[in-house]
Amino acid sequence: GNLAEDEGKYDEASVHFSEANVLFSDVGDHVNVAVTLYHLGVVAFGQGHLELALTQCQKALELSRSSNDPWTTAASLAYLGLIWTALGKLERSASALGEALKIYRRIETPERIAEVLSRTAVVAQMRGRSAVAIRLFAAAESIGERIGVHHELPEATHYDQSIAAIRQTLSPEDFTAARTDGRALSMTGAIADAETELHSGASGAPVVAGAHASTLESTALIEDLSPREIEVLRLLVNGKTDQQIAEMLFISRRTVATHLNHIYGKLGISSRAAAAAFAVRHGLA
């Protein structure tokens, strides 16, 4: 399951984690039931099924808390932070990430701290604080290089979209300067920056990865979609697979794939997760 997840083979990963979940449930291993629920949430996020991802990670969080498992508790909180961000719920995201960061600091896991820094960077980017965001991304990158870890799927795609949005708002000089500052931060300094961001309220209009920030421009993007493309998008955000969408709309899977490619192109995005996030933010869910 882990291997398939890291390779972006989400359907395969879902099968493995679902089977493991049943086996762990049968023997009463609540800790690993929570772990498999967490991974099912990650897989659902990668598939663009945001509501399902939210449900699975919330279940994982509840069970890991009751099992006194700090690792899965923190992992679930950190992933809920990412999901809430994709859903445009930035204050909920900040709260979850702040709690995850406290746990990771206590159990001293630098690779997980780096993950929270990256997810906090997405929050900062969506709040319109691009320089803060790229500092945090760069700090996370530097920490990852020192300990030999890197971003994995499906989160990497989400981060890449956020960084692309930042490049649209900062000059090349400002982008480079902020990135240089971030890479020079110590672990303590990077954590302090993240905590400051997580405890700050939103300011300015959020910047949506792959789309324009203003209401007028967002409306124009929606109007570019055909009625059929909007139907496909609404079914996608409700967790339907390509096959299910095809059956519900009485079209072929190939036609569904064509519609999705058109949607991605019109919205300037490249994944189901980004499409689902756009739909939720703009009332198409």
Side-chain angles (χ1 to χ4, degrees), residues 189-212:
I191 290 172
D193 274 12
E195 289 177 333
T196 298
E197 178 59 40
L198 292 172
H199 289 100
S200 299
S203 68
V207 180
V208 181
H212 298 288

Side-chain angles (χ1 to χ4, degrees), residues 130-131 134-135 169-181:
S130 296
I134 203 60
R135 275 169 58 90
T169 63
L170 292 179
S171 69
E173 295 78 13
D174 288 344
F175 182 95
T176 299
R179 187 172 183 278
T180 300
D181 288 346

Side-chain angles (χ1 to χ4, degrees), residues 151-192:
H151 294 147
E152 298 176 339
L153 293 173
E155 305 87 60
T157 300
H158 201 64
Y159 301 152
D160 288 345
Q161 291 170 348
S162 185
I163 292 170
I166 293 169
R167 287 186 181 277
Q168 295 176 7
T169 63
L170 292 179
S171 69
E173 295 78 13
D174 288 344
F175 182 95
T176 299
R179 187 172 183 278
T180 300
D181 288 346
R183 288 186 62 83
L185 285 172
S186 65
M187 175 77 79
T188 301
I191 290 172

Side-chain angles (χ1 to χ4, degrees), residues 4-260:
E5 177 186 297
D6 291 344
E7 293 174 0
K9 299 175 181 177
Y10 301 124
D11 290 345
E12 179 183 336
S14 181
V15 170
H16 292 310
F17 286 127
S18 295
E19 184 177 353
N21 180 267
V22 171
L23 293 173
F24 286 130
S25 296
D26 287 345
V27 298
D29 186 342
H30 299 304
V31 170
N32 278 309
V33 169
V35 171
T36 54
L37 286 170
Y38 161 77
H39 281 289
L40 286 168
V42 173
V43 168
F45 182 83
Q47 293 172 318
H49 303 160
L50 299 185
E51 295 297 336
L52 177 58
L54 183 65
T55 298
Q56 298 287 38
C57 285
Q58 286 175 328
K59 289 180 180 177
L61 176 60
E62 181 179 358
L63 189 54
S64 58
R65 283 195 197 278
S66 66
S67 302
N68 295 314
D69 173 15
W71 295 91
T72 309
T73 296
S76 300
L77 284 164
Y79 223 88
L80 283 167
L82 187 63
I83 297 166
W84 283 125
T85 302
L87 290 169
K89 307 291 186 180
L90 300 186
E91 301 318 306
R92 290 188 181 185
S93 175
S95 176
L97 290 171
E99 189 176 351
L101 185 56
K102 286 181 182 178
I103 297 172
Y104 284 143
R105 290 186 69 183
R106 188 174 73 246
I107 58 180
E108 298 182 350
T109 52
E111 69 275 16
R112 300 301 184 185
I113 289 173
E115 283 182 1
V116 175
L117 294 179
S118 293
R119 293 170 196 183
T120 304
V122 178
V123 173
Q125 176 257 312
M126 292 185 66
R127 284 173 168 171
R129 293 196 271 266
S130 296
V132 172
I134 203 60
R135 275 169 58 90
L136 290 170
F137 271 128
E141 177 185 63
S142 179
I143 292 168
E145 288 174 358
R146 291 199 297 270
I147 60 179
V149 299
H150 56 83
H151 294 147
E152 298 176 339
L153 293 173
E155 305 87 60
T157 300
H158 201 64
Y159 301 152
D160 288 345
Q161 291 170 348
S162 185
I163 292 170
I166 293 169
R167 287 186 181 277
Q168 295 176 7
T169 63
L170 292 179
S171 69
E173 295 78 13
D174 288 344
F175 182 95
T176 299
R179 187 172 183 278
T180 300
D181 288 346
R183 288 186 62 83
L185 285 172
S186 65
M187 175 77 79
T188 301
I191 290 172
D193 274 12
E195 289 177 333
T196 298
E197 178 59 40
L198 292 172
H199 289 100
S200 299
S203 68
V207 180
V208 181
H212 298 288
S214 74
T215 302
L216 288 175
E217 289 173 317
S218 295
T219 300
L221 286 173
I222 295 170
E223 290 176 348
D224 280 344
L225 299 176
S226 70
R228 178 63 93 186
E229 287 164 353
I230 290 175
E231 283 184 294
V232 170
L233 190 54
R234 282 178 169 149
L235 291 172
L236 179 151
V237 78
N238 285 322
K240 305 302 181 185
T241 65
D242 285 6
Q243 183 60 46
Q244 289 171 325
I245 293 172
E247 291 171 357
M248 295 177 74
L249 298 181
F250 302 101
I251 57 179
S252 69
R253 285 188 64 179
R254 177 174 290 184
T255 301
V256 173
T258 298
H259 284 314
L260 288 175

